[in-house]
Amino acid sequence: MVNPHIWGQPTSANPLLQLRNIDGGEWFQRYGDSFEAVWAPARPWAPDRQE
């Protein structure tokens, strides 16, 4: 399930998409790759850390 959140809108006003991994399909893998790319450089939040 994917919830592409629309800025400034409550969760109930946003679409909910169900992606399935099927042979020959690209959306499931493409979305998964995008998600991993966003999280790969993530670090735990540390409010006192200086960048």
Side-chain angles (χ1 to χ4, degrees), residues 1-49:
M1 304 301 237
V2 177
N3 177 240
H5 192 79
I6 299 171
W7 179 257
Q9 299 297 313
T11 301
S12 61
N14 288 282
L16 180 63
L17 308 175
Q18 180 180 1
L19 299 181
R20 292 185 297 158
N21 193 8
I22 60 173
D23 290 337
E26 296 179 14
W27 278 95
F28 184 89
Q29 187 63 47
R30 193 172 293 177
Y31 187 84
D33 292 346
S34 172
F35 185 87
E36 292 300 326
V38 169
W39 283 103
R43 296 185 309 267
W45 182 61
D48 298 329
R49 180 175 49 215

